[in-house]
Amino acid sequence: MSSQTPSPGPVPASSGGERRKPRVAVVFGGRSSEHAISVVTAGAVLRAIDREKYDVLPIGITADGRWALTADEPERMAIANRELPSVERLAESSEGSVVLPVDPGNREVVYSEPGAVPKALGDVDVVFPMLHGPYGEDGTLQGLLELSGVPYVGAGVLASAVGMDKEYMKRVFVSFGLPIGPYEVIRPRAWEQEPSAARQRIVEFAEEHGWPLFVKPARAGSSFGISKVEGPADLDAAVEEARRHDPKVIVEALLRGREIECGVLEYEDGPRASVPAEIPPVSSHAFYDFEAKYIDAADGIVPAPLTEEQTRRVQELAVAAFEAASCEGLVRADFFLLDSGEFVINEINTMPGFTPISMYPRMWQESGVSYPELVDRLLEAALRRSTGLR
């Protein structure tokens, strides 16, 4: 795939009228169970941003929701000795907080600490929201940025929400004629008020589609809270594990086949698909779970060993999923290539991991777009795009 240099975005001016570099706020961490992976992802992005072209302001959100000013030290944001990083360890103060403006006519970020005069940190021209999971990737942060009138990288409010909720994601895909696998949803009230009936629904689902099945949080990522259930005896524990991350649970049938991923990147003329990748079975794990992805660094095959026709088909489906959910910027689309030869879309991720071992950057690297260029393209696209209805 050929690589094109993106057209330059608008050059902001200071209060004195002189030209200055666009200022990027890299926002990371957050209140979800994916807090640590967000920190790792942000560290990789901070290393890749062209400092000759952009000024950078790292802002971390702690696990309890405080927006903290953090040091620009990507080396402290990696997984080291199987220990996960956190915003709390990176924050310059245990009490100070960063406040974004809610006035579209004002993009000045302010930092305040108890008993001290608030300090202006300057204007922010674009936000790179490196948040995974609820309270960041699900449209909540995107809504705040829309209110503030600050451009940002990635999907808007609707697409972010659809991309986070596996139930409504599947409903959207079905409405656009995209192939999905069998699933069942257990809503909070059903499990809390009529657990026997909810349990029976899952058992009947398994009788129709077979054991084992997967029990997942409906709105979580990085494979947190997912259990492979071999039979009814393990069902309650699996549902409770999923509910630790999300009160709404989704149950999916086991699809026998190969796991294939494909990246989508928005170019000036529309979305394009990367070469696909394959996630091979991990012998030491029951499935491609959190530890396999991030701790034990299970490797993927890039490009996936597919025929030309299979490659073309999965790329078409990835772009179709991007369009169906009204995505912007980027998406990683995850598929199963069934033993029958049919592709089934499992889910999309509107803010996929950007860690050094993440599949999305690797797929684009193999497609001719380097990691720094990928980050630059996303920032340029965000600077070109206005907030509000579009």
Side-chain angles (χ1 to χ4, degrees):
M1 178 177 293
S2 63
S3 172
Q4 301 177 356
T5 302
S7 59
V11 178
S14 68
S15 57
E18 66 270 17
R19 291 157 63 93
R20 63 173 176 83
K21 292 185 290 187
R23 196 145 189 248
V24 182
V26 178
V27 180
F28 60 95
R31 295 164 55 192
S32 82
S33 53
E34 297 179 79
H35 177 101
I37 296 308
S38 173
V39 176
V40 176
T41 296
V45 168
L46 285 169
R47 282 191 292 270
I49 292 178
D50 183 354
R51 302 309 177 95
E52 296 295 321
K53 186 173 181 179
Y54 300 102
D55 284 328
V56 178
L57 177 65
I59 300 174
I61 301 178
T62 63
D64 62 3
R66 179 173 62 92
W67 289 49
L69 188 63
T70 67
D72 187 3
E73 299 176 0
E75 65 277 3
R76 296 174 55 201
M77 302 168 74
I79 298 174
N81 300 319
R82 303 177 73 89
E83 186 175 349
L84 300 175
S86 69
V87 170
E88 284 78 1
R89 295 180 183 176
L90 296 163
E92 295 193 347
S93 165
S94 61
E95 294 184 305
S97 60
V98 174
V99 179
L100 286 180
V102 197
D103 176 3
N106 174 24
R107 293 184 180 178
E108 186 172 71
V109 175
V110 174
Y111 178 72
S112 63
E113 290 192 72
V117 176
K119 179 173 63 176
L121 299 179
D123 290 357
V124 166
D125 301 295
V126 61
V127 170
F128 206 137
M130 303 309 307
L131 292 155
H132 302 306
Y135 313 111
E137 190 183 351
D138 59 350
T140 51
L141 176 63
Q142 290 75 12
L144 172 63
L145 295 172
E146 292 285 351
L147 285 173
S148 301
V150 180
Y152 54 93
V153 170
V157 175
L158 174 65
S160 297
V162 168
M164 179 53 55
D165 192 311
K166 294 179 176 62
E167 175 193 359
Y168 286 98
M169 181 195 310
K170 292 176 188 292
R171 290 182 182 274
V172 167
F173 291 160
V174 168
S175 72
F176 277 81
L178 298 176
I180 67 167
Y183 73 98
E184 182 71 56
V185 175
I186 304 299
R187 299 183 184 280
R189 190 179 298 115
W191 188 259
E192 292 160 6
Q193 297 183 2
E194 300 180 9
S196 296
R199 188 181 303 107
Q200 183 59 32
R201 281 172 51 202
I202 302 175
V203 171
E204 291 173 357
F205 176 83
E207 289 172 349
E208 179 180 358
H209 299 289
W211 299 93
L213 47 78
F214 287 93
V215 176
K216 305 178 178 182
R219 295 161 293 193
S222 293
S223 298
F224 280 112
I226 299 178
S227 300
K228 185 178 182 180
V229 181
E230 301 289 345
D234 301 322
L235 196 52
D236 281 25
V239 172
E240 291 301 334
E241 171 60 20
R243 283 170 52 83
R244 287 201 312 112
H245 301 271
D246 185 352
K248 183 166 78 166
V249 174
I250 190 164
V251 179
E252 296 177 346
L254 172 67
L255 298 177
R256 301 188 185 279
R258 299 159 60 187
E259 291 191 49
I260 306 295
E261 298 183 348
C262 189
V264 180
L265 178 62
E266 186 176 8
Y267 281 67
E268 291 86 340
D269 59 354
R272 301 184 195 176
S274 70
V275 299
E278 180 169 5
I279 308 300
V282 184
S283 59
S284 58
H285 297 264
F287 57 95
Y288 193 44
D289 62 5
F290 174 83
E291 288 211 353
K293 289 179 179 179
Y294 297 109
I295 304 299
D296 295 332
D299 207 3
I301 303 170
V302 189
L306 301 172
T307 66
E308 289 186 11
E309 181 179 350
Q310 289 172 330
T311 297
R312 182 169 58 253
R313 175 60 175 160
V314 76
Q315 289 175 328
E316 290 172 351
L317 286 171
V319 171
F322 181 97
E323 298 280 38
S326 297
C327 295
E328 295 169 293
L330 72 162
V331 147
R332 193 196 71 230
D334 300 346
F335 299 86
F336 289 103
L337 175 55
L338 304 183
D339 294 341
S340 64
E342 177 190 8
F343 278 104
V344 169
I345 185 165
N346 184 38
E347 64 182 38
I348 58 172
N349 192 316
T350 57
M351 186 50 71
F354 269 80
T355 70
I357 61 171
S358 295
M359 297 308 299
Y360 185 83
R362 288 185 59 198
M363 288 187 288
W364 280 108
Q365 177 76 41
E366 194 67 27
S367 303
V369 181
S370 69
Y371 193 117
E373 183 185 355
L374 181 61
V375 170
D376 191 62
R377 278 190 170 278
L378 291 169
L379 288 170
E380 288 283 5
L383 284 165
R384 284 195 305 270
R385 192 168 61 232
S386 64
T387 54
L389 298 178
R390 50 187 182 274

